[in-house]
């Protein structure tokens, strides 16, 4: 491809192809818009969503034979050749995911001596058995008597009584963690056991618990604290425990969303239903009924040669998807008054959140505004969505700019002390809580991250605040956060390619010149990690293995992120950019989309990953649109 580009007027042929490819992609994206103005791609995760749904229904006594069969069909379809289930496409088998999938298939009637079940059980035993599974998995097993409750770390409901200034209060945890921990504290305190209908001895190894961390480490002291709290639970005053449980239930009920969910995400949703049910809420109670009925809205059914499969989204992303789609279409050249952009803008304006949420615990003086990720999540607007919505609304025929002023004011107020931004809370960085024994389920705090901070810096610059103290503070944070190799860590996207793709355009927008050492190091990192086929990709194992940073099969979304960074630095005509453009065009489907089975989104680094089905379309459109516009402007 390089030789062809040097022998032929590459720009004429390649960029003509690019315009045709951009037109096809744009037409496809426009065809996906809902009549109300929004876009929403499927949010694909792993089979723990479906497995835990079946376990939830068994625990509540509402199992349905047809639903179970459809769900089990999906779980079977995701099994790997070695019998395990992974947490992302192409990833290795995961012990806890495999245990939960196996238990769900047993619920569906799969015999333990069936070939696919024996290979799954063998994988579990080879990797330590249930004795080495994560705390969440052992809690699910304890609900059915397959793990002793006294061997589950303490999660005392009295945490909800602690004021916000006391260590280990619920607001020390990230919003997704606190919403999960509060209902789990009810479950742990009540220690229920319901019949599963079978036992799981084939998943045990008899391994003894690993030794506690040494007292020379913080985790060692917190392990001893856990033992002390378990002792307290045996002698806790009944009146205090009853009061804590009542307050925990009130805390949960107050945070249920209009669609019946909690936070619009799966973990707090299922545990809240279980916790409230254990405290006497019948399934007919409005809170319980809304919660159970709301799950259907997150359900995807698909016809396959084997029959109907049923799967669940862990979350839904219409606000995020709509903001990115608006930006992509504007980048592709749609005029700001195009009807599609007008409908999307009107819908986004209507989704602004004007009520206070948990974020106000530490920012009580900040007037409310912002946007959440989901259709219904008024308690938890996030700064990342809000920044992207600001950027999107500025490219629509917005009539009332006061909404942008309110959102900007909220973002400014949510800046953390160090100059960066977390996603949901300000100064949610007490790392102490991450070493608690029950916190082995992924990230449990929400400190500032490079990708979120970059998006906010870019939005503030678009709002005319480039030279403000708050923006300069964000820029300084980004420059400090650069890795020694020139990249940035990607908290919510995979991974360092995402970090560079977010940060470089933001720094350029803030006035940092492409010749700045930080920008040059970032571009050099990108060029060094470009694949031989012209694209970019990064395997999710890079969160655990430094050697995998920037390495992986090329994907449309990750290639687009790299192209966006190159374009921001004026290198959209450089050989690397042309090779990336050629890769995107060569791999584009006839309908204008791209295949992307790889997961390029991140929930919890190292633990939980996401395939956003719209990423494969919106980011390539933005990259193609900006590169083509840049070359066209230069040719005038």
């Amino acid at each position: 491809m390089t030789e062809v580009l040097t022998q032929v007027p590459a720009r004429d042929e390649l960029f003509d192809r690019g315009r045709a490819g951009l037109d096809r992609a744009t037409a496809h994206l426009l065809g996906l818009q809902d009549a109300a103005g929004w876009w929403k791609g499927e949010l694909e995760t792993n089979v723990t969503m479906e497995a835990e749904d079946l376990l939830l229904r068994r625990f509540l006594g509402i199992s349905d034979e047809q639903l179970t069969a459809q769900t089990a069909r999906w779980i079977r379809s995701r099994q790997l050749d070695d019998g395990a289930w992974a947490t992302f496409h192409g990833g290795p088998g995961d012990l806890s995911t495999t245990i939960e999938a196996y238990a769900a298939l047993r619920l569906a009637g799969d015999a333990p001596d069936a070939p696919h079940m024996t290979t799954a059980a063998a994988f579990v035993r080879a990797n330590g058995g249930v004795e080495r599974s994560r705390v969440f998995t052992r809690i699910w097993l304890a609900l059915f008597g397959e793990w002793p409750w006294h061997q589950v770390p303490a999660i005392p409901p009295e945490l909800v009584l602690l004021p916000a200034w006391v260590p280990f209060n619920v607001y020390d945890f990230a919003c997704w963690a606190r919403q999960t921990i509060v209902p789990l504290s009810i479950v742990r305190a009540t220690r229920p056991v319901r019949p599963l209908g079978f036992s799981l001895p084939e998943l045990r190894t008899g391994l003894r618990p690993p030794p506690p961390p040494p007292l020379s480490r913080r985790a060692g002291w917190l392990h001893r604290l856990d033992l002390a709290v378990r002792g307290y639970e045996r002698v806790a005053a009944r009146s205090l425990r009853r009061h804590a449980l009542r307050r925990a239930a009130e805390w949960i009920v107050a945070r249920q969303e209009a669609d019946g969910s909690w936070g619009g995400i799966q973990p707090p949703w299922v545990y809240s239903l279980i916790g409230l049910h254990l405290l006497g809420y019948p399934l007919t109670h409005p809170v319980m009924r809304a919660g159970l009925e709301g799950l259907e809205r997150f359900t995807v059914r698909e016809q396959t040669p084997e029959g109907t499969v049923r799967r669940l989204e862990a979350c839904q992303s219409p606000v995020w998807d709509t903001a990115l789609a608006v930006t992509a279409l504007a980048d592709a050249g749609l005029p700001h008054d195009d009807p599609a952009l007008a409908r999307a803008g009107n819908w986004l304006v209507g989704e602004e959140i004007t009520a206070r949420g948990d974020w106000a615990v530490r920012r009580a003086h900040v007037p409310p505004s912002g946007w959440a990720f989901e259709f219904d999540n008024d308690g938890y607007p996030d700064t990342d969505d809000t920044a992207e919505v600001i950027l999107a609304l500025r490219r629509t025929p917005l009539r009332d700019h006061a909404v942008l002023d309110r959102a900007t004011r909220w973002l400014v107020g949510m800046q953390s002390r160090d100059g960066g931004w977390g996603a949901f809370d300000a100064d949610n960085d007490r790392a102490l809580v991450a070493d608690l024994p029950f916190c082995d389920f992924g990230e449990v705090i929400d400190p500032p991250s490079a990708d979120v901070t970059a998006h906010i810096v870019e939005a503030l610059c678009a709002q005319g605040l480039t030279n403000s103290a708050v923006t300069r503070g964000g820029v300084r944070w980004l420059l400090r956060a650069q890795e020694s190799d020139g990249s940035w860590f990607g908290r919510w996207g995979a991974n360092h390619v995402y970090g560079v793709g977010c940060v470089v355009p933001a720094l350029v927008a803030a006035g940092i010149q492409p010749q700045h050492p930080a920008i040059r190091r970032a571009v050099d990192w990108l060029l060094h990690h470009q694949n031989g086929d012209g694209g970019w990709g990064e395997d999710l194992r890079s969160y655990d293995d430094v050697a995998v940073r920037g390495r992986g099969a090329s994907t449309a979304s990750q290639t687009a992120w790299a192209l966006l960074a190159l374009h921001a630095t004026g290198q959209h005509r450089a050989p690397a950019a042309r090779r990336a453009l050629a890769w995107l065009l060569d791999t584009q489907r006839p309908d204008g989309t791209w295949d992307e089975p790889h997961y390029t989104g991140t929930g919890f680094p190292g633990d939980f990953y996401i395939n956003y089905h719209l990423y494969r379309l919106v980011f390539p459109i933005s990259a193609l649109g900006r590169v083509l516009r840049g070359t066209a402007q230069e040719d005038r």
Side-chain angles (χ1 to χ4, degrees):
M1 178 60 72
T2 303
E3 293 181 0
V4 172
L5 290 174
T6 57
Q7 296 173 4
V8 179
R11 185 184 61 80
D12 293 338
E13 177 186 350
L14 189 59
F15 286 87
D16 284 348
R17 287 181 59 206
R19 293 181 187 94
L22 180 59
D23 288 343
R24 290 196 303 275
T26 300
H28 191 96
L29 181 58
L30 285 169
L32 298 177
Q33 187 179 26
D34 187 85
W38 49 263
W39 281 267
K40 185 185 80 66
E42 183 178 344
L43 192 150
E44 179 183 351
T45 54
N46 65 68
V47 298
T48 57
M49 299 301 103
E50 292 77 34
E52 292 174 6
D53 181 71
L54 294 187
L55 291 168
L56 167 71
R57 293 173 187 277
R58 172 58 66 95
F59 185 83
L60 296 179
I62 56 172
S63 296
D64 175 271
E65 184 175 342
Q66 182 182 45
L67 178 150
T68 299
Q70 293 174 353
T71 307
R73 200 172 287 130
W74 171 252
I75 294 173
R76 290 188 208 101
S77 74
R78 313 308 288 177
Q79 189 175 20
L80 304 177
D81 291 340
D82 64 358
W85 281 264
T87 58
F88 60 92
H89 176 83
D94 178 74
L95 174 62
S96 293
T97 303
T98 301
I99 291 171
E100 294 183 26
Y102 181 95
L105 291 182
R106 288 291 309 273
L107 279 176
D110 290 23
D113 58 356
H116 68 290
M117 298 294 279
T118 59
T119 56
F123 175 90
V124 170
R125 293 192 300 272
N127 286 274
V130 297
E131 293 87 347
R132 293 295 181 266
S133 61
R134 62 177 174 239
V135 170
F136 272 28
T137 298
R138 281 178 273 145
I139 287 175
W140 279 107
L141 295 175
L143 288 170
F144 298 100
E146 289 296 310
W147 188 260
W149 277 112
H150 71 270
Q151 290 186 22
V152 174
I155 314 175
E158 286 82 0
L159 289 176
V160 79
L161 303 178
L162 298 178
W165 55 269
V166 175
F168 304 119
N169 74 87
V170 295
Y171 300 102
D172 276 352
F173 298 89
C175 72
W176 59 85
R178 80 177 70 109
Q179 290 182 94
T180 300
I181 288 167
V182 172
L184 275 182
S185 72
I186 297 173
V187 176
R188 177 65 175 77
T190 53
R191 303 186 181 194
V193 175
R194 301 277 173 88
L196 186 60
F198 50 84
S199 60
L200 297 167
E202 65 271 26
L203 302 186
R204 294 184 176 274
T205 61
L207 287 174
R208 297 176 61 84
L215 288 174
S216 59
R217 291 168 47 196
R218 182 171 62 194
W221 286 99
L222 293 178
H223 178 86
R224 275 64 170 188
L225 175 62
D226 173 70
L227 296 178
V229 174
R230 291 195 222 180
Y232 156 78
E233 289 186 320
R234 291 192 292 270
V235 298
R238 292 184 179 181
S239 58
L240 178 61
R241 176 53 58 93
R242 285 195 300 269
H243 176 60
L245 290 172
R246 183 172 63 253
R247 286 285 300 276
E250 293 169 350
W251 192 94
I252 294 168
V253 171
R255 285 159 178 77
Q256 187 177 34
E257 299 293 342
D259 62 357
S261 74
W262 279 267
I265 53 177
Q266 185 263 6
W269 197 337
V270 297
Y271 296 123
S272 292
L273 288 170
I274 292 173
L276 293 177
H277 185 60
L278 290 172
L279 293 184
Y281 284 66
L283 299 182
T284 55
H285 189 283
V287 169
M288 296 293 291
R289 188 169 62 247
L292 291 169
E293 291 175 353
L295 289 171
E296 185 62 28
R297 188 175 177 183
F298 284 60
T299 299
V300 178
R301 286 183 173 83
E302 183 181 4
Q303 297 301 321
T304 72
E306 290 74 32
T308 303
V309 298
R310 173 185 176 271
R311 58 182 179 270
L312 278 82
E313 296 178 283
C315 184
Q316 293 183 334
S317 52
V319 172
W320 181 249
D321 288 346
T322 301
L324 295 177
V326 167
T327 296
L329 291 171
D331 285 337
L334 262 68
H336 83 285
D337 58 352
D338 184 274
L341 299 186
R343 288 196 303 274
N346 290 336
W347 183 81
L348 285 171
V349 168
E351 290 296 302
E352 183 195 10
I353 295 170
T354 56
R356 292 181 177 275
D358 281 359
W359 57 267
V361 170
R362 291 187 174 151
R363 288 296 185 270
H365 64 284
V366 178
S369 184
W371 282 264
F373 195 62
E374 306 87 349
F375 284 113
D376 295 292
N377 188 8
D378 287 353
Y380 297 97
D382 69 90
T383 61
D384 208 11
D385 273 275
T386 300
E388 290 299 327
V389 171
I390 288 173
L391 291 168
L393 286 178
R394 290 181 58 85
R395 305 181 78 171
T396 68
L398 186 63
R399 298 186 183 90
D400 183 8
H401 285 259
V403 66
L404 297 180
D405 296 336
R406 290 193 298 272
T408 301
R409 187 167 55 244
W410 185 73
L411 283 180
V412 168
M414 291 296 289
Q415 187 174 33
S416 290
R417 289 183 299 261
D418 61 5
W421 280 267
F424 293 90
D425 288 297
D427 298 321
N428 187 262
D429 53 6
R430 186 169 277 169
L432 175 70
V433 300
D435 285 330
L436 289 167
F438 66 79
C439 290
D440 71 344
F441 55 89
E443 187 63 79
V444 296
I445 57 175
D446 185 18
S449 65
D451 42 322
V452 173
T453 299
H455 288 155
I456 294 168
V457 164
E458 190 172 1
L460 295 179
C461 291
Q463 285 291 94
L465 298 177
T466 303
N467 296 316
S468 68
V470 67
T471 303
R472 304 324 297 172
V475 169
R476 288 192 296 272
W477 189 97
L478 289 170
L479 293 174
R480 292 196 306 269
Q482 188 173 27
E483 302 284 337
S484 59
D485 62 7
S487 67
W488 280 272
F489 176 81
R491 166 63 182 88
W492 298 96
N495 173 357
H496 293 263
V497 176
Y498 184 66
V500 172
C502 294
V503 174
V504 168
L507 289 179
V508 172
I512 303 297
Q513 295 300 309
Q515 295 77 28
H516 189 282
I519 301 292
R520 293 178 64 180
R521 289 201 309 272
V523 171
D524 287 345
W525 185 89
L526 278 180
L527 298 179
H528 181 68
H529 289 83
Q530 188 173 23
N531 288 333
D533 60 11
W536 274 268
E538 184 169 358
D539 191 282
L540 288 161
R541 278 165 279 209
S542 67
Y543 283 105
D544 302 307
D545 184 356
V546 174
V548 189
R549 284 186 182 181
R551 303 298 184 190
S554 296
T555 69
S557 58
Q558 290 167 317
T559 300
W561 296 337
L563 261 178
L564 289 169
L566 292 178
H567 168 266
T569 62
Q571 299 198 44
H572 45 272
R573 271 182 159 152
R578 292 202 298 267
R579 291 198 295 126
L581 181 61
W583 184 87
L584 282 175
L585 297 173
D586 290 343
T587 57
Q588 189 178 27
R589 292 164 50 94
D591 65 357
T593 63
W594 283 263
D595 290 322
E596 189 167 283
H598 295 86
Y599 288 30
T600 62
T602 306
F604 304 145
D607 291 283
F608 188 79
Y609 301 108
I610 302 168
N611 184 339
Y612 292 96
H613 284 203
L614 215 59
Y615 274 18
R616 65 193 69 174
L617 188 56
V618 292
F619 287 114
I621 289 175
S622 274
L624 287 172
R626 292 185 193 184
V627 167
L628 294 174
R629 184 175 68 249
T631 57
Q633 290 172 347
E634 291 172 353
D635 291 341
R636 287 174 186 166

